[in-house]
């Protein structure tokens, strides 16, 4: 995720970061300008004073209002998914701290503390990798025997959770914790799985295909026929106006596409690497 100062207006206005839609769409904007210039030439040369074209401006004003509502809904939906993902990772930060703090007080054996000191961050890193496509065992603190045990598992974060719960149940049977303490620790582990499930729901439930298809077609048809409404009033200047409208409308869709899956590696996605490293640092600090 890009960190920046939102109060630095001039720096933001003139910035050309690689995630800037101006940098992404500049080729398409040139094509749009050239296409509009061609339309302007044909209309002004062969259809001057056409009454139908002169009335199109009013029609496109109404259509523009409709498409703006659709884009607002599209952007808000995408941002809701981004923010929901951030809240779930905030919950993971809090729940791992709570779990580590309780284990640090309840456990007396150094080996038990060392086990959870490895497994809690392992669960977080595995959750990050699960949301990005699959497990990367080099990122986890595992022994060779544990790696062999995990290799044939499909859902690695769930397996880390199972291992931690098995260890907690073993501690209960050995009398190191009582039933009430088991209940409290189980609640923290369940909270971790709840956050994981919520993130998977966001990742695996994209915007409905028919809706995404419709809005892309709507934008394409609107911006490619827009020059017809501007040429009779603005002549060749309609190339600048149509290109600017194209930039605004398509940029909204591009931004929505980027943030609707907040767990990837795009510039505006959530900083999962940083959050995961901070969780590991906190857990190690508490359990050491």
């Amino acid at each position: 995720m890009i960190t920046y100062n939102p109060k630095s207006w001039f720096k933001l206005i003139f910035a050309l970061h690689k995630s800037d839609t101006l940098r992404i769409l500049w080729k398409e904007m040139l094509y749009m300008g050239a296409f509009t210039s061609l339309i302007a030439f044909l209309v002004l040369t062969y259809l001057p004073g056409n009454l139908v074209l002169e009335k199109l401006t009013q029609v496109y004003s109404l259509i523009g209002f409709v498409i703006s509502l659709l884009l607002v809904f599209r952007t808000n939906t995408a941002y809701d998914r981004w923010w929901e993902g951030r809240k779930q990772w905030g919950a993971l930060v809090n729940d791992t701290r709570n779990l580590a703090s309780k284990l640090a007080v309840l456990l007396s054996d150094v080996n038990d503390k060392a086990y959870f000191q490895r497994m809690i961050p392992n669960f977080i890193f595995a959750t990050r990798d699960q949301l990005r496509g699959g497990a990367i065992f080099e990122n986890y603190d595992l022994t060779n025997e544990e790696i062999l045990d995990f290799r044939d598992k499909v859902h690695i974060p769930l397996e880390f959770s199972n291992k931690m719960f098995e260890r907690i149940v073993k501690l209960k049977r050995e009398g190191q914790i009582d039933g009430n303490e088991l209940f409290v620790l189980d609640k923290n582990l369940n909270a971790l799985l709840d956050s994981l499930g919520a993130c998977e729901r966001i990742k695996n439930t994209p915007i409905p295909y028919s809706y995404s298809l419709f809005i892309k077609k709507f934008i394409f048809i609107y911006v490619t026929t827009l020059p017809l409404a501007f040429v009779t009033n603005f002549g060749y200047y309609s190339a600048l106006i149509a290109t600017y409208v194209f930039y605004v409308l398509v940029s909204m869709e591009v931004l929505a596409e980027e943030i609707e899956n907040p767990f990837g590696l795009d510039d505006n996605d959530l900083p999962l690497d940083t959050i995961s490293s901070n969780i590991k640092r906190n857990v190690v600090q508490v359990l050491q």
Side-chain angles (χ1 to χ4, degrees):
M1 187 173 71
I2 302 171
T3 56
Y4 66 98
N5 179 12
K7 297 181 180 180
S8 180
W9 276 63
F10 289 102
K11 184 177 180 181
L12 293 175
I13 291 171
F14 295 105
L16 278 178
H17 194 270
K18 64 180 180 179
S19 66
D20 194 325
T21 54
L22 183 62
R23 197 166 177 178
I24 296 172
L25 298 172
W26 70 270
K27 289 183 180 180
E28 289 79 3
M29 291 170 64
L30 291 178
Y31 298 150
M32 187 64 192
F35 175 74
T36 306
S37 298
L38 176 62
I39 295 295
F41 170 77
L42 295 175
V43 171
L44 296 175
T45 303
Y46 299 105
L47 296 171
N50 188 287
L51 295 177
V52 175
L53 295 180
E54 290 178 356
K55 298 295 183 181
L56 278 180
T57 305
Q58 300 176 8
V59 177
Y60 273 81
S61 297
L62 294 174
I63 298 175
F65 176 73
V66 174
I67 201 171
S68 64
L69 292 178
L70 286 173
L71 285 174
V72 167
F73 175 76
R74 175 78 170 92
T75 306
N76 287 344
T77 302
Y79 182 77
D80 285 344
R81 293 163 60 86
W82 187 92
W83 183 241
E84 176 65 19
R86 183 61 186 90
K87 288 195 295 185
Q88 295 302 328
W89 273 82
L92 284 172
V93 172
N94 295 335
D95 291 329
T96 51
R97 287 173 178 172
N98 289 333
L99 179 60
S101 297
K102 291 166 185 174
L103 289 170
V105 174
L106 294 174
L107 302 181
S108 56
D109 187 89
V110 175
N111 292 327
D112 290 329
K113 289 185 178 182
Y115 181 82
F116 287 103
Q117 183 178 313
R118 290 189 302 114
M119 286 300 169
I120 295 175
N122 283 345
F123 172 85
I124 296 300
F125 283 108
T127 296
R128 179 201 62 186
D129 295 341
Q130 181 75 14
L131 296 173
R132 289 179 174 175
I136 303 176
F137 287 94
E138 291 76 12
N139 295 332
Y140 316 141
D141 187 0
L142 295 170
T143 63
N144 292 332
E145 183 179 342
E146 289 172 335
I147 292 176
L148 293 176
D149 185 31
F150 277 81
R151 282 289 184 187
D152 60 341
K153 301 299 188 297
V154 176
H155 200 291
I156 303 302
L158 181 60
E159 191 62 24
F160 279 122
S161 177
N162 289 341
K163 294 296 183 182
M164 287 191 286
F165 187 71
E166 288 176 1
R167 190 64 171 246
I168 290 174
V169 171
K170 178 183 177 183
L171 294 172
K172 167 66 171 58
R173 290 172 179 168
E174 293 174 351
Q176 297 188 48
I177 60 175
D178 58 30
N180 291 331
E181 294 165 344
L182 173 63
F183 175 79
V184 171
L185 295 175
D186 176 64
K187 186 176 179 180
N188 282 126
L189 284 176
N190 288 339
L192 295 179
L193 289 178
D194 289 342
S195 295
L196 168 60
C199 292
E200 288 179 322
R201 168 175 51 80
I202 296 171
K203 179 180 182 296
N204 298 326
T205 312
I207 300 297
Y209 175 74
S210 58
Y211 177 82
S212 180
L213 187 66
F214 168 75
I215 197 167
K216 285 179 171 58
K217 288 183 177 179
F218 194 0
I219 292 174
F220 176 78
I221 295 172
Y222 182 81
V223 298
T224 53
T225 58
L226 191 62
L228 294 174
F230 287 154
V231 166
T232 54
N233 293 323
F234 300 103
Y236 287 103
Y237 289 107
S238 60
L240 298 176
I241 300 172
T243 301
Y244 178 69
V245 174
F246 170 86
Y247 168 69
V248 173
L249 296 181
V250 178
S251 291
M252 295 295 288
E253 175 64 14
V254 169
L255 290 173
E257 288 176 351
E258 183 173 346
I259 67 173
E260 67 182 0
N261 178 19
F263 308 119
L265 296 172
D266 293 330
D267 291 322
N268 290 306
D269 287 337
L270 296 174
L272 300 190
D273 294 337
T274 301
I275 296 174
S276 300
S277 298
N278 288 339
I279 289 175
K280 180 177 182 179
R281 190 180 305 112
N282 294 337
V283 170
V284 171
Q285 174 185 327
V286 171
L287 287 173
Q288 273 185 339

